[in-house]
Amino acid sequence: MKIYKKKANSSIRRRMVRYLLYVSLLPLIGLTIISIILQVRTTSSVSTSSMQTEVTLAFSDMNGRFEDAQELCRQIENNALLQRLMRSDYPNAPRKYASELEGNMELASMVLSDDAFSGVYLIGNNGIICKSDSGSLISDSFQDTAWYRKALSSLTANWYSVHNGSYVVRTANDKIITCCYPFRDTHSGENTGVIVVDISAAKLHNL
């Protein structure tokens, strides 16, 4: 009988110990779970906030680059040298070639510090074609192309989303975003040509 009582008491004590351990550990387990949940939520919130910030900055950078392109077009339009070249007549090839070289150097100096602009071109109704890079022209005349006619009749910039290759020079099918801007003669007020700004989609992505 004594042995039975000892075993019974021992069993009860073990159950009591287990119960007390369970009761004492339950709040700790609960607090641990709550802490983990809060940590996950905080981390998720920080990650989401960080992602939203990065996306906002990326869009801001891209929008800023597009505004830079239009500002560059306005600077080209108001450039006295380029106005003169676009206003002149070219009765022979040597004179036209010399004027284009002059225009090429002027454009190159205006975009030298901007890597996102893969090329800037000035095309006139008078036949002159100036470019900021050394790329080979696709054509000797662009006046009959749809994008040229549309820009020439516009009051502001026409944007063309990502496409393969430049509209003006030969490229290796690079992904390009293009801005076509009407060039207005400051004397007559008439559009006498088109400014084309090619923006490299790859370089824009890496900004």
Side-chain angles (χ1 to χ4, degrees), residues 62 115-116 118 162-163 173-177 199-207:
M62 289 183 183
D115 292 335
S118 59
V162 179
H163 54 89
N173 288 327
D174 296 336
K175 300 298 183 182
I176 302 291
I177 300 170
I199 302 175
S200 167
K203 291 180 180 179
L204 187 65
H205 177 74
N206 292 329
L207 289 176

Side-chain angles (χ1 to χ4, degrees), residues 76-134:
I76 292 172
E77 185 181 49
N78 293 318
N79 183 286
L81 169 62
L82 299 176
Q83 279 284 335
R84 176 175 60 79
L85 296 179
M86 293 287 280
R87 197 177 294 127
S88 300
D89 293 325
Y90 301 101
N92 54 66
R95 181 177 173 183
K96 178 174 174 287
Y97 180 73
S99 296
E100 286 176 338
L101 285 179
E102 194 176 6
N104 293 349
M105 290 187 290
E106 189 71 11
L107 287 180
S109 68
M110 297 177 76
V111 299
L112 187 62
S113 61
D114 202 315
D115 292 335
F117 298 155
S118 59
V120 178
Y121 314 100
L122 178 60
I123 306 167
N125 291 341
N126 59 359
I128 193 170
I129 304 175
C130 302
K131 49 196 178 75
S132 66
D133 57 41
S134 59

